[in-house]
Structures are given as C-alpha cells and as structure tokens.
C-alpha cells in the first residue's frame, strides 16, 4: 500500500524551560502513567485506525536505550503498528527532517506530534488525517481560540500592535501533511536557513494553504514547571473491576474451608491446595482488575510447593501483586453456590475474615450463599462453586 499515514513522535528536545524543576531530565522522559511521557501520545496516535506506523525521534545519545524501551513497552502494551526510529537534531525542525527521512515509501500522509503533549486524544488524530485527505490544503492543524488578548511587542516590551482576537488561534500538534510536500518544505528551509517552531510555518512560507481545524483544549504541551501539576492531576486512579469463578468437587480429603474459615462437616473437598473455592474465585477477580493472569498460572496445581497450601497465603501473594500493579481494592461481592452444607451460620465469620485478609472495612465486603434448587452439579451434591466481583482503583 502506498497511501499510508504515519505518525512522528518528537522526543528529542532538552526541555530547557523545565530543566530546573526536573533536575535536568528532559520533560518527555518524565514518568507518566507507568511509562515515559512520550509513550502516552504514541499510544493515542497508534490507536487511530488511520495510522499505519510511528517514527520516534530521540536524542542521539539516548537513542538506543529509548529504542529498546519503546520495544519493551510495545511488548507489554502493544500499539499494533510498526515502529521506526530517528536521531534528534539541534532544533525541533532538524528532528522533524530526520524523521521524514526515516519514513517508508508507503507513507503518503504524516502527522507530526510533540512527544511532550501526552493528553492527545485519538479522535483528534483521526479527524486531522481525514480532513487532510478531504481537503485541498497542504496542511491541516489543530487550533483553539485564544482567550487572552494577544500583543506583539518589541524587544523592550513596547507594544507594536494588537491583532484582532477573533481571528487568532493557538495551534497544537499533531500537524498533518502530505509527506512529499513536507519533505520539499524542509529541504527549502534547510537551504534558505529558515527558523520555525512548527511545521505549518514552513508550508506557509512556501505559500501553501494550511487549514486550522478545532483542536482540543486538553491537548497542552508540557512546557513550564507549573505544567508538572497537570501530570499529577491526571495521574488520579481509574475505577476497574475483576470477576472470578471457581469450582471444587466434593469427595476429596480436604475439610471445607471458605474465605479462610474452616467450615468442616461431611463434604470433603478434592483439591491440590486447601481447596478454598471462595478465596480462589476472589483471587482471580483481584487478578482480573489489573490483567494479572489467573491463579492456575501463578500457582500451578502440579507444583508440590502448593500442596495443601493455605489459600490465605496465596491471597497475600496476589495482594502484593495487586499493590505492585498500583491497584487498590475498594469493594468485594462474593457468592458461594452450594446445595449443602448450609452456610448462613458461617456467613458473618467468612465476611469478617475476608475483610481482615483484604484490609477492607466490613461494609465493603459482601458475602452471600445460595443453592441451585437441587439442579446441576451443586444440586446433585457433587461439588461447590463460588463467584467474586472485585471493584478497585488503579
Ligand atoms: N523537540 C525535538 N527536537 C528538538 C527540539 C524539540 O524533538 N531539537 C521536541 C520536544 O521533545 C518536544 C517538541 O519537540 O516534544 C516541542 O518542543 P518544545 O516544547 O520546545 O520542547 P523542548 O525543546 O524540549 O523544550 P525547551 O524549548 O523548553 O528547551
Ligand atoms: Mg524547544
């Protein structure tokens, strides 16, 4: 295919305006949502169905390290598009020029984006690429109306003029262009020694039409120290839930244990661990909150280390993993399905014990027991099952 659309993620600046606040670290490498800042906009860009690939531009002296990091992040959190890499240049426009050279022949449209704009939304990416395809413009860029009155001043601060505010737009990235035209504009800028802060300016100087479409006020560039607060605000956790389900057969040799409480009685459980069906469903639900796999994978039932192991101990390990994944449980709702034994006399003890094991307030742990009206395998007294729903923030 020769009409592909590729994104360029610029991450080769030095972040001088921010350096004092970050201890010298370039802003696009600051940690944000568990990855370097540049990764957020790469994900948003790649999520557009119109984007076929990404070129990352990193500073020459950390290109190799950042390249490996991008590939490792992609293994964990796949973007689903191919990556290419280019070395940054002294000025932003030099970095763009290097990226343009790294784009494949199959690329027709390119979207140049500041890696320091982590709040990019995929909808904007798609809108820009579509607008360029449909328009006679040589470039389509996002812009927002300015709210302050803007003055042009001389070097000593005296006002030269006040442009009419209605016509002014503060422009953002991504900026969309046809690759061949943008390459020509950069070649001319290089030959004629132009200095610009965005790519649209080059097109304008080449006399080519550039269209501004509605941008997104959230799509700000992290530039000055006070912008760091934006990163902190947006790090607030998001709600998630996990679901778990487990079954154990009767007719084994483990006394019935539910939620870490020994129930005992006539129905012995067949299991490798202690066979606590309720904690097993609960653990799978917790793992579900952060896509942490399942207990069968974490604690294989053919591993002698887990022979008759207390499920409370396994739960503790799952809770450690949840904490490592930045997941904080807020509520659990548990149901055991069994014809026999009768569980209502134990309900309170089970609830209290689970609340203790999870370090949750008692009114954030619900426990219910039900039968299946003598139907199915629980009705035939062949076994017991449990389901768990866990709510969390991460
Ligand atoms: N950029 C780049 N190569 C450069 C300069 C800038 O790839 N030589 C990138 C930055 O990493 C950033 C984007 O272009 O994602 C916008 O530039 P800007 O906000 O000016 O970032 P910096 O140049 O890093 O910051 P400063 O101007 O404060 O030094
Ligand atoms: Mg700069």
């Amino acid at each position: 295919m020769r009409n592909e659309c590729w994104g360029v993620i610029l991450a080769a600046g030095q972040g001088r305006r921010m350096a004092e606040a970050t201890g010298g670290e370039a802003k696009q490498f600051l940690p944000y949502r568990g990855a370097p800042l540049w990764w957020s906009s790469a994900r948003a860009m790649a999520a557009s169905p119109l984007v076929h690939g990404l070129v990352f531009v990193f500073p020459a002296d950390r290109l190799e390290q950042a390249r490996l990091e991008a590939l490792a992040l992609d293994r964990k959190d796949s973007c689903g598009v191919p990556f290419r890499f280019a070395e940054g240049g002294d000025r932003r426009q030099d970095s763009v020029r290097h990226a343009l050279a790294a784009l494949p022949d199959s690329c027709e449209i390119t979207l140049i984006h500041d890696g320091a704009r982590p709040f990019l939304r995929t909808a904007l990416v798609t809108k820009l690429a579509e607008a360029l395809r449909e328009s006679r413009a040589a470039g389509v860029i996002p812009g927002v109306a300015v709210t302050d009155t803007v003055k042009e001043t001389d070097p000593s601060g005296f006002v030269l003029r006040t442009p009419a505010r209605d016509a002014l737009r503060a422009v953002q990235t991504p900026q969309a262009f046809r690759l061949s035209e943008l390459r020509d504009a950069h070649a001319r800028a290089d030959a004629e020694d132009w200095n610009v802060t965005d790519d649209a300016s080059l097109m304008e100087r080449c006399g080519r039409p550039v269209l501004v479409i509605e941008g997104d006020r959230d799509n700000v560039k992290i530039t000055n120290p006070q912008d760091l607060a934006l990163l902190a605000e947006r790090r607030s956790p998001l709600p998630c839930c996990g679901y778990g389900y487990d079954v154990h057969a009767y007719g084994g040799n483990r006394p019935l244990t539910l939620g870490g409480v020994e129930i005992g009685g006539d129905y012995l459980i067949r299991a490798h661990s202690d066979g606590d069906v309720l904690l097993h469903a609960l653990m799978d639900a917790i793992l579900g909150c952060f896509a942490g796999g399942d207990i069968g994978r974490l604690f294989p039932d053919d591993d002698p280390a887990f022979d008759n192991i207390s499920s409370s101990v396994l739960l503790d390990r799952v809770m450690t993993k949840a904490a490592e994944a930045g997941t904080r449980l807020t509520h659990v709702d548990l149901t055991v399905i069994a014809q026999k034994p009768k569980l209502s006399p134990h309900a309170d003890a089970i609830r209290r014990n689970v609340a203790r094991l999870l370090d949750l307030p008692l009114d954030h742990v619900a426990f219910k027991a039900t039968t299946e009206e003598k139907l199915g395998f629980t009705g035939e007294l062949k076994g017991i099952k449990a389901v768990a729903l866990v709510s969390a923030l991460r």
Side-chain angles (χ1 to χ4, degrees):
M1 226 189 353
R2 295 196 61 83
N3 57 354
E4 290 179 358
C5 171
W6 279 60
V8 169
I9 305 292
L10 294 172
Q14 299 185 9
R16 288 191 197 85
R17 283 168 284 182
M18 186 77 109
E20 216 167 302
T22 65
E25 176 60 303
K27 59 195 181 185
Q28 67 274 23
F29 289 98
L30 293 174
Y32 177 60
R33 290 187 165 273
L37 192 82
W38 50 261
W39 183 244
S40 287
S41 48
R43 297 267 311 158
M45 183 85 92
S48 167
L50 301 186
V51 171
H52 293 87
L54 295 179
V55 175
F56 291 91
V57 191
F58 292 122
D61 60 352
R62 57 202 293 186
L63 175 61
E64 185 53 18
Q65 189 201 344
R67 187 181 74 85
L68 294 176
E69 182 151 30
L71 297 175
L73 285 166
D74 193 49
R75 275 193 294 279
K76 180 165 127 317
D77 225 3
S78 176
C79 276
V81 298
F83 293 170
R84 292 189 173 204
F85 300 90
E87 236 177 56
D90 287 342
R91 300 166 301 172
R92 182 187 183 279
Q93 71 194 76
D94 301 318
S95 294
V96 175
R97 202 178 58 251
H98 296 176
L100 299 184
L103 283 165
D105 292 341
S106 53
C107 171
E108 183 201 5
I109 286 176
T110 181
L111 293 149
I112 311 295
H113 184 63
D114 296 329
R117 293 183 191 267
F119 312 128
L120 174 65
R121 291 195 172 98
T122 303
L124 182 61
V125 176
T126 304
K127 194 166 80 168
L128 287 158
E130 275 173 350
L132 182 67
R133 283 226 159 100
E134 284 160 15
S135 135
R136 57 178 183 84
V140 178
I141 66 177
V144 292
V146 297
T147 48
D148 294 325
T149 296
V150 177
K151 307 276 182 197
E152 187 180 343
T153 58
D154 71 13
S156 28
F158 284 98
V159 173
L160 296 172
R161 68 199 123 243
T162 305
R165 192 173 60 190
D166 285 353
L168 294 178
R169 295 290 176 271
V171 307
Q172 312 173 330
T173 68
Q175 299 192 343
F177 307 94
R178 284 179 197 84
L179 176 58
S180 57
E181 283 180 288
L182 189 61
R183 275 187 179 147
D184 290 348
H186 271 274
R188 202 167 148 197
D190 204 28
E192 297 178 25
D193 208 18
W194 297 347
N195 266 299
V196 295
T197 53
D198 77 343
D199 297 275
S201 307
L202 296 181
M203 281 298 181
E204 292 152 42
R205 287 185 72 162
C206 291
R208 306 285 293 128
V210 174
L211 175 70
V212 179
I213 65 169
E214 192 58 36
D216 178 351
R217 285 200 185 273
D218 289 339
N219 181 25
V220 294
K221 181 157 66 70
I222 302 300
T223 305
N224 296 304
Q226 50 277 32
D227 298 333
L228 292 176
L230 295 172
L231 300 180
E233 274 169 32
R234 283 161 206 259
R235 216 178 278 141
S236 57
L238 295 174
C240 57
C241 350
Y243 175 77
Y245 173 77
D246 196 36
V247 168
H248 276 287
Y250 286 155
N253 59 0
R254 309 276 195 238
L256 178 62
T257 301
L258 291 173
V261 175
E262 195 170 317
I263 311 291
D266 298 339
Y267 295 95
L268 296 173
I269 301 289
R270 217 184 298 155
H272 181 66
S273 68
D274 66 357
D276 188 328
V277 72
L278 183 58
L279 290 192
H280 292 182
L282 173 61
M283 284 188 272
D284 268 353
I286 295 169
L287 291 165
C289 290
F290 58 98
D294 59 62
I295 51 170
R297 190 135 51 100
L298 291 178
F299 314 119
D301 64 6
D302 53 3
D303 185 337
F306 304 121
D307 184 28
N308 203 13
I309 192 166
S310 155
S311 295
S312 305
V313 170
L314 300 182
L315 175 62
D316 190 55
R317 291 189 201 170
V318 167
M319 288 298 283
T320 303
K321 284 191 179 294
E324 284 165 1
T327 307
R328 187 168 59 80
L329 305 197
T330 53
H331 192 93
V332 305
D333 189 5
L334 308 168
T335 304
V336 170
I337 299 109
Q339 191 65 44
K340 278 192 175 161
K342 195 171 171 55
L343 293 175
S344 50
H346 307 282
D348 212 38
I350 291 171
R351 214 174 131 225
R352 282 179 190 283
N353 198 49
V354 172
R356 178 183 69 82
L357 292 172
L358 299 180
D359 192 17
L360 277 177
L362 195 53
D363 59 355
H364 282 268
V365 177
F367 173 79
K368 291 160 282 182
T370 185
T371 73
E372 287 185 302
E373 301 289 347
K374 299 194 172 141
L375 296 169
F377 72 83
T378 64
E380 290 166 18
L381 299 174
K382 287 184 178 161
I384 183 166
K385 60 184 168 185
V387 293
L389 185 68
V390 170
S391 309
L393 292 171
R394 68 181 284 241

